[in-house]
Amino acid sequence: MKILIAGFQHETNTFAPSKADWDDFVQGGGMPCMTHGSDILDLKGINIPAGGFLDAMHGGPHQIVPVIWTAACPSAHVTEDAFERITGKIVEAASEIQPDAVYLDIHGAMVAEHVDDGEGELLKRLRTVVGQGVPVVGSLDLHANVTQLMLEKADALVAYRTYPHVDMAETGERAAFLLKHYMEGGNRLFKASRRIPFLIPLHGQCTDMEPASQTYEYLESLEHGSINSMSFTPGFPAADFPECGALVWGYGTNQSELESAVDSLTDHINEREHEWWIDIHKPDQAVKEAIRLSKGADRPVVIADTQDNPGAGGNSNTTGMLRALVANQASDAALGILFDPEAAEAAHKTGVGKTITLGLGGEPALGDHPFEGTFSIDFLSNGDLTVKGPMMRGAKISLGPTACLRTDGVSVVVGSSKVQMLDRELYRVGGVEPEQMKILVNKSSVHFRADFTPIAHSILVAESPGPMIADPINLPWKRLAPGLRIRQTDQYLRCDLQLFKKIFDIKSSCYLPFIESGAVYLRFTLKQISLNHRFSLI
């Protein structure tokens, strides 16, 4: 049987400053670069879903027909041009090949300029071409905002169970298992799904910690007997469209038992709503605490610069944490990766061992100004490396021209590509040995933990200015589903409609009320913070 395989991955932060165009997908942005045809078979053995799928299918009787695999660094919307060109290649190939089955390596949180639900639209177009009789199975990121259209158009979807994502290849293998079930004439699989009524902050989704750790252990315990597959995606809480948020779903041969399992996992998550929040520090607080903890420590203290995480839409160029390190006179400290191609080029032209005066980094869209200073050029490289840590072991990444610029006791690894600090080799390619530092500031939210936890004395999370807002309550939401709780602190009030009219001036411009399904909804806008409050009618 002919199995068409394709990959199209993007995690869209609709509040981020820059979009993903065709060239961004060509380059890969920290993932393998755009790959076509038989070259996709070389992804076998790499910790990405397509690699795991190919491993699982290797040596089997079926014909693998690879089309395209591509990903871009998380950012704002995928441009219409990029979306249509990539989707077009996949759909056109399906029309020509007429496959017997389809596997898609997709993210699940893609928003394009003209389409809210990128993956749902891709699946819909693909289904139109291949028909209802061809099984279509996809693997999803743990941060997927899974939509009803995606569930409707795919025969099965499975998601990662780890964050950091050390099980990407394993997820591809589980997708292969489900596809084989359909291809070999297995029993019909029923499906069930439940929405979680609150947003889960990105930095609270780490599966090395609670409540995520126990949640996924419980999820796996439910997969037995008639339950073939269970998935839970905490979601990507920076995509402003109605189906943003967490979802539980599963597949099984007994509808009643499946519904019970999905309900049980949903209850488990909802009962722990308040546990999904992790405290975060302001930049100065984080650095002062790191300096205190590092005294006498034989391992570095690691600070996550979570709001400038290029793995979630940041540009990896804000200077808040650098300013805090310098202002607090941190020593033996390193920060990476700071994206500034112009600074890296200037350092290469000046030469190693010399000094250079320049403005480093800065994100104009956020009012974040470049850090002006004189730096020693300690190291230069072409930025080419092979990942050695568990997150993407074996993947080849290039930062482009890379430099280590030092000011006082702070070393900054400056790269020419936006890549999340998820592996220690990303420091070494800039001449920094991370184990020898007292403080490491990583532009990442959680992925860094896979390779840095073993060497870390302790880990702190900092809330320095950046596009990936750590607390969803601070985002200017406009299109979320009514009643979705942005934070577990949101209060739900029961209010008689007439009493409501007495308390609130309906014509006031500070909020926009509307009535739907027997409830009054308010959206307050205060200090550019949007809050949804739901008033159930008595």
Side-chain angles (χ1 to χ4, degrees):
M1 300 178 74
K2 290 183 294 186
I3 306 174
L4 182 152
I5 71 168
F8 185 11
Q9 289 209 11
H10 190 262
E11 183 177 75
T12 305
N13 178 343
T14 61
F15 303 101
S18 53
K19 297 180 180 181
D21 60 19
W22 171 262
D23 288 339
D24 292 316
F25 284 95
V26 171
Q27 294 164 9
M31 296 287 276
C33 62
M34 184 181 288
T35 309
H36 300 271
S38 60
D39 289 344
I40 293 172
L41 300 177
D42 293 336
L43 298 176
K44 190 164 65 72
I46 297 177
N47 183 33
I48 60 174
F53 182 87
L54 290 169
D55 284 335
M57 289 294 184
H58 183 67
H62 306 298
Q63 179 187 358
I64 302 296
V65 187
V67 177
I68 185 174
W69 192 97
T70 188
C73 186
S75 66
H77 304 70
V78 175
T79 63
E80 182 175 357
D81 171 71
F83 180 86
E84 292 298 335
R85 288 171 70 179
I86 297 167
T87 298
K89 288 180 180 293
I90 298 170
V91 175
E92 288 168 16
S95 179
E96 294 173 4
I97 296 166
Q98 291 295 303
D100 301 297
V102 175
Y103 163 67
L104 295 178
D105 180 357
I106 49 182
H107 185 285
M110 183 194 305
V111 182
E113 288 178 320
H114 61 311
V115 176
D116 277 345
D117 179 9
E119 289 84 359
E121 181 66 20
L122 169 60
L123 285 162
K124 182 177 74 171
R125 296 185 191 183
L126 197 57
R127 180 61 73 190
T128 299
V129 168
V130 302
Q132 295 299 320
V134 173
V136 177
V137 171
S139 53
L140 300 175
D141 195 285
L142 179 139
H143 306 305
N145 291 319
V146 183
T147 68
Q148 288 305 305
L149 182 62
M150 291 163 61
L151 290 173
E152 175 190 338
K153 297 302 180 182
D155 291 281
L157 298 169
V158 294
Y160 309 164
R161 296 175 179 178
T162 62
Y163 183 32
H165 303 327
V166 296
D167 70 329
M168 290 188 287
E170 182 183 328
T171 304
E173 292 173 3
R174 288 189 284 113
F177 167 78
L178 286 171
L179 191 59
K180 287 178 181 178
H181 173 90
Y182 284 106
M183 293 171 65
E184 294 168 2
N187 294 332
R188 176 190 174 191
L189 295 183
F190 297 96
K191 60 186 170 187
S193 64
R194 303 285 185 274
R195 288 223 165 268
I196 303 301
F198 55 90
L199 291 181
I200 299 176
L202 197 67
H203 64 282
Q205 298 178 12
C206 177
T207 55
D208 293 338
M209 303 182 294
E210 301 302 345
S213 179
Q214 274 191 357
T215 297
Y216 282 98
E217 286 179 9
Y218 185 57
L219 179 152
E220 292 183 355
S221 75
L222 295 170
E223 286 183 331
H224 60 83
S226 67
I227 310 301
N228 294 62
S229 174
M230 292 286 292
S231 288
F232 163 53
T233 49
F236 185 63
D240 195 10
F241 80 114
E243 290 185 89
C244 176
L247 188 82
V248 173
W249 76 97
Y251 303 93
T253 55
N254 183 295
Q255 184 75 60
S256 176
E257 292 178 1
L258 177 62
E259 298 279 356
S260 178
V262 169
D263 283 338
S264 181
L265 181 57
T266 302
D267 290 343
H268 177 96
I269 295 163
N270 288 340
E271 289 166 2
R272 291 157 179 78
E273 179 176 354
H274 67 284
E275 298 178 25
W276 290 95
W277 177 256
I278 293 175
D279 289 335
I280 48 184
H281 300 76
K282 297 299 181 184
D284 282 333
Q285 293 173 331
V287 171
K288 288 176 181 177
E289 180 64 4
I291 292 172
R292 185 187 70 81
L293 292 171
S294 67
K295 290 179 179 177
D298 59 356
R299 292 182 293 170
V301 176
V302 181
I303 304 174
D305 189 2
T306 186
Q307 294 197 152
D308 194 31
N309 172 15
N315 278 337
S316 200
N317 60 357
T318 62
T319 61
M321 288 307 303
L322 174 57
R323 295 178 193 279
L325 289 168
V326 173
N328 290 281
Q329 299 180 336
S331 60
D332 295 322
L335 181 150
I337 302 291
L338 194 139
F339 172 62
D340 191 333
E342 292 78 13
E345 181 182 5
H348 275 256
K349 288 181 178 178
T350 303
V352 71
K354 298 181 180 180
T355 61
I356 187 170
T357 300
L358 47 70
L360 186 60
E363 178 50 72
L366 299 174
D368 180 74
H369 302 293
F371 181 92
E372 303 287 345
T374 298
F375 300 85
S376 299
I377 304 172
D378 286 355
F379 191 85
L380 298 172
S381 79
N382 63 7
D384 293 342
L385 65 111
T386 300
V387 175
K388 295 182 179 178
M391 175 75 184
M392 289 176 58
R393 182 175 287 118
K396 297 185 183 300
I397 294 176
S398 178
L399 297 178
T402 299
C404 179
L405 304 183
R406 179 171 50 82
T407 176
D408 298 323
V410 181
S411 298
V412 184
V413 176
V414 182
S416 301
S417 297
K418 287 184 284 186
V419 177
Q420 181 177 176
M421 178 53 77
L422 54 75
D423 192 273
R424 281 178 262 169
E425 291 301 304
L426 289 164
Y427 272 118
R428 295 191 182 106
V429 78
V432 172
E433 291 297 331
E435 296 86 349
Q436 297 177 11
M437 308 306 293
K438 290 183 177 179
I439 299 173
L440 296 170
V441 175
N442 293 351
K443 286 188 176 290
S444 175
S445 294
V446 171
H447 282 326
F448 73 92
R449 291 178 183 265
D451 200 35
F452 285 85
T453 295
I455 69 163
H457 171 275
S458 49
I459 294 174
L460 306 172
V461 180
E463 190 181 22
S464 179
M468 182 54 219
I469 303 301
D471 188 345
I473 208 168
N474 291 328
L475 286 168
W477 300 102
K478 295 180 180 178
R479 302 179 59 212
L480 288 181
L484 181 69
R485 296 192 286 280
I486 299 176
R487 272 280 296 277
Q488 55 93 10
T489 53
D490 286 1
Q491 298 298 313
Y492 289 75
L493 308 178
R494 293 179 60 81
C495 183
D496 176 80
L497 181 57
Q498 295 304 316
L499 178 61
F500 165 79
K501 289 180 178 179
K502 290 179 181 178
I503 296 174
F504 298 100
D505 175 11
I506 297 270
K507 296 180 181 179
S508 173
S509 62
C510 70
Y511 57 86
L512 301 173
F514 62 94
I515 299 174
E516 180 179 290
S517 303
V520 178
Y521 294 87
L522 287 184
R523 172 163 288 149
F524 288 89
T525 303
L526 181 62
K527 295 181 181 178
Q528 298 183 333
I529 298 175
S530 297
L531 309 176
N532 287 325
H533 291 265
R534 183 175 189 269
F535 292 77
S536 296
L537 299 185
I538 296 173

